[in-house]
Amino acid sequence: MTITVRPSALKRRRQQLRDMPAATGRGLDDRLQLASPGLRTLLNKVFPDHWSFLLGEIALWSFVMLLLTGTFLALFFDPSMEEVTYNGSYTALSGVEMSRAYESTLTLSFDVRGGLLIRQMHHWSALLFLAAIVVHFLRIFFTGAYRKPREINYLIGVAMFWLAFLLGFTGYTLPDDALSGSGLRIAHAIILSIPVLGTWTASALFDGDFPGTAIMPRVFILHVFLLPLALLGLITAHLLIMFKQMHTQWPGAGRSNRNVVGERFFPRYISKQTSFLLIVFGVIAALGGLFQINPVWLFGPYKAAVVSVATQPDWYVLFLEGSTRLFPSWEIRFPLFGEHFTIPTLFWPGVVLPGILTTLVVAYPFYEARKLKDKQIHNLLQRPRDVPVRTGLGAMGVTFWLVLTLSGANDVIASTFDISLNATTWAGRIGAVVLPPLAYWVTHRVCLGLQQHDRQVLSHGVETGILRRRPDGGFMEVHQPLGPTDPHGHGELEYTGAPVPKKMNRLGALAPATRGFLAPVERPSTPPTEPPTPNGYEGTEVAGTDQSR
């Protein structure tokens, strides 16, 4: 039997297939109003293209990985503090008394297919998430991206760090191994050090004395429900505000406070972010599969009388560990209402110091705006060299944090290099006082030197490497002016905040040639050619490719 398809039917079927995307789009728009002006504005939003803006995306995609891997782990983890005898696959701990939480962690690591990989990916995601937040915050601070109108997003970012800090600490506590139990004991001591309220708070959290049987289920609820929900809400608010406001960008040709030069959200930017998402996932998977982290089976279950040598928390807690080790053993005793009260030593480095640091970080943008009487809206970033005082203060804070972080491992340093533990403690105390002001002075001078170098290039031009002999026999280097010059040969260009070219191969183009993945793209970026769009943003041609509306 032969079936003959008429040409008209075949042509009609091809026409239907060709019109299917448009018909599908019209159908969805009829039902969901997808072509609304708000959605058009969203899809046309322009994002500048610079590597430093990817730091926030690393934090975002790490958080997504945290949610995915954490959901898997929650299906197998039991937060009970009930005492059991281990008889699982890890024979080194056979017959050892432990909590149900620690036993379920071992079962998850050795008996659940892929459990150890997912658990290590979850831990690496947490470390990368906190690291990305910290580096992203430093980029915000040093470039002045917290200025009006972004003060609210700045405060949200600070709150996100502390929520992520608590999220990491609670997750670190859940396995109930010897290492995490020691950290929980220190947290209990810090709570107890709070005057008046400390004993009541600790008793309420632990339902009595430490450790009790109620704390682990409560930490589990905090870790898997309350803290992620609060953090997800802050991230959502952070992104919504960012989309509502104009994106910051670096100064340059065609860029101003009223436009954004870059790539539209759809399709180029979203396709790039999808690729970046897969890269972050791949890096975390490689870390989880190739590099061991937090081997709880080596630490054993938590016992109050057992603390291993070189017990160290995750990197983001080390600065608090260092502050408690460096602070002198000072206690304050005073009478009040006929009773005698004591403020323990741990209260100052464990509660007061984080409070002071957080207050300074939160208050600085408002202090700077008030001091400079700055009420303008800023959408252009500042190079750190152009604001030496702020850059010096930032270097001062980073140095202080590094000293505390290194001091959190002073016992390991003393053991490794065979030096006195007291010597490392006093070195940390002296360094915490001396090094931050020194870092401020050095950074301030470096910024002034870089500013002077930029002014010299603008005035005299770029060094060409060509030597010319003067009539008196001396030699001078020929400079290529960057613009018009006065009768004395000095340039008349003003510094606009954009990088000043320092080499001859940077002249003749608005920016260096775009670098490809495997081979360089020789064509340089072209200046903006499109008129401003109705929503106030501006598109541009990127790497010679027309970015149409």
Side-chain angles (χ1 to χ4, degrees):
M1 180 178 181
T2 302
I3 301 177
T4 303
V5 180
R6 290 179 294 178
S8 58
L10 185 60
K11 183 178 180 180
R12 185 167 56 254
R13 184 174 301 174
R14 290 177 178 175
Q15 183 70 25
Q16 292 174 352
L17 291 175
R18 188 163 51 247
D19 296 340
M20 185 177 295
T24 303
R26 285 192 297 269
L28 291 175
D29 183 59
D30 292 339
R31 294 162 177 81
L32 303 176
Q33 286 76 46
L34 296 179
S36 60
L39 184 61
R40 289 179 180 271
T41 302
L42 173 64
L43 296 180
N44 285 330
K45 182 177 176 62
V46 176
F47 288 84
D49 188 14
H50 194 269
W51 66 266
S52 62
F53 299 137
L54 296 178
L55 298 171
E57 277 77 0
I58 294 177
L60 176 62
W61 304 137
S62 299
F63 181 72
V64 173
M65 179 64 84
L66 275 174
L67 294 180
L68 296 176
T69 55
T71 301
F72 176 87
L73 297 178
L75 299 176
F76 300 95
F77 181 75
D78 185 356
S80 173
M81 294 293 288
E82 177 189 359
E83 289 290 328
V84 297
T85 301
Y86 181 72
N87 292 310
S89 302
Y90 189 65
T91 57
L93 292 177
S94 295
V96 176
E97 297 290 330
M98 60 184 63
S99 65
R100 181 75 70 180
Y102 185 62
E103 182 199 35
S104 65
T105 303
L106 294 178
T107 302
L108 180 62
S109 301
F110 295 108
D111 299 324
V112 176
R113 187 180 296 274
L116 181 59
L117 173 64
I118 299 300
R119 194 175 71 81
Q120 295 198 150
M121 288 174 60
H122 188 71
H123 203 129
W124 280 114
S125 300
L127 299 183
L128 185 61
F129 180 51
L130 266 298
I133 288 179
V134 171
V135 180
H136 180 62
F137 170 79
L138 292 178
R139 198 273 298 176
I140 295 294
F141 180 82
F142 284 115
T143 61
Y146 54 78
R147 295 173 297 168
K148 185 180 180 181
R150 296 173 180 83
E151 301 93 337
I152 296 178
N153 245 356
Y154 177 82
L155 298 179
I156 290 176
V158 176
M160 284 170 55
F161 168 78
W162 283 112
L163 277 180
F165 182 93
L166 292 176
L167 189 64
F169 179 78
T170 53
Y172 180 80
T173 302
L174 284 176
D176 196 36
D177 60 287
L179 194 59
S180 63
S182 300
L184 185 62
R185 186 66 183 91
I186 296 174
H188 179 261
I190 292 176
I191 297 174
L192 285 177
S193 70
I194 302 175
V196 182
L197 299 177
T199 53
W200 298 94
T201 305
S203 179
L205 286 177
F206 289 83
D207 196 21
D209 295 332
F210 179 88
T213 59
I215 185 61
M216 204 58 67
R218 293 177 179 180
V219 170
F220 181 73
I221 293 299
L222 279 173
H223 183 72
V224 304
F225 181 68
L226 296 180
L227 292 177
L229 188 63
L231 193 55
L232 183 61
L234 288 181
I235 291 176
T236 303
H238 188 79
L239 294 177
L240 289 177
I241 294 175
M242 184 199 67
F243 270 89
K244 179 65 177 178
Q245 297 173 343
M246 186 178 294
H247 202 290
T248 57
Q249 62 182 343
W250 292 97
R255 302 170 185 175
S256 67
N257 248 347
R258 298 183 179 181
N259 71 342
V260 176
V261 177
E263 300 173 343
R264 299 189 185 277
F265 179 69
F266 183 84
R268 289 180 60 88
Y269 182 79
I270 195 172
S271 62
K272 283 188 175 182
Q273 287 306 307
T274 302
S275 302
F276 194 58
L277 162 69
L278 298 177
I279 292 174
V280 173
F281 280 17
V283 170
I284 293 175
L287 290 173
L290 299 177
F291 298 95
Q292 178 178 274
I293 189 171
N294 197 24
V296 295
W297 54 89
L298 299 180
F299 307 144
Y302 174 68
K303 302 295 181 184
V306 178
V307 178
S308 62
V309 179
T311 300
Q312 304 294 331
D314 284 335
W315 70 268
Y316 51 87
V317 191
L318 269 178
F319 80 100
L320 287 180
E321 179 84 9
S323 65
T324 58
R325 297 187 182 195
L326 296 183
F327 198 82
S329 56
W330 295 341
E331 288 187 350
I332 298 178
R333 298 180 176 89
F334 58 94
L336 183 65
F337 302 116
E339 300 288 342
H340 291 276
F341 290 90
T342 300
I343 300 180
T345 303
L346 195 56
F347 173 70
W348 306 106
V351 179
V352 175
L353 180 63
I356 293 176
L357 295 179
T358 304
T359 302
L360 292 176
V361 169
V362 168
Y364 182 81
F366 305 97
Y367 166 76
E368 183 184 78
R370 182 179 180 85
K371 182 180 179 180
L372 300 178
K373 298 180 180 180
D374 184 10
K375 299 182 180 179
Q376 302 296 322
I377 291 179
H378 300 279
N379 294 320
L380 291 178
L381 300 174
Q382 293 175 307
R383 302 176 76 192
R385 67 181 65 184
D386 296 336
V387 194
V389 173
R390 180 207 299 154
T391 305
L393 290 175
M396 187 175 178
V398 171
T399 303
F400 182 70
W401 175 79
L402 286 176
V403 171
L404 295 185
T405 300
L406 291 176
S407 298
N410 64 347
D411 56 340
V412 179
I413 296 174
S415 175
T416 303
F417 296 98
D418 194 20
I419 56 179
S420 170
L421 181 60
N422 289 333
T424 61
T425 301
W426 276 103
R429 290 171 178 173
I430 296 173
V433 176
V434 174
L435 292 181
L438 181 61
Y440 174 86
W441 181 82
V442 171
T443 304
H444 191 273
R445 299 302 302 175
V446 169
C447 289
L448 294 180
L450 293 175
Q451 288 184 24
Q452 183 178 3
H453 189 205
D454 286 341
R455 289 194 296 269
Q456 289 177 349
V457 174
L458 290 173
S459 177
H460 299 286
V462 180
E463 298 177 353
T464 62
I466 301 174
L467 297 180
R468 177 178 296 173
R469 189 170 184 177
R470 298 195 302 265
D472 59 0
F475 291 88
M476 60 176 293
E477 184 177 10
V478 178
H479 288 73
Q480 172 63 48
L482 297 177
T485 58
D486 58 17
H488 301 286
H490 294 164
E492 299 178 353
L493 292 178
E494 294 183 0
Y495 179 70
T496 61
V500 178
K502 305 295 177 59
K503 298 180 180 180
M504 288 296 296
N505 59 358
R506 294 297 180 95
L507 300 180
L510 292 178
T514 305
R515 298 175 180 176
F517 184 72
L518 295 176
V521 180
E522 296 300 335
R523 289 178 298 174
S525 301
T526 56
T529 55
E530 296 182 358
T533 57
N535 60 4
Y537 300 110
E538 184 173 291
T540 183
E541 292 183 359
V542 181
T545 303
D546 181 29
Q547 183 181 341
S548 62
R549 289 186 176 84

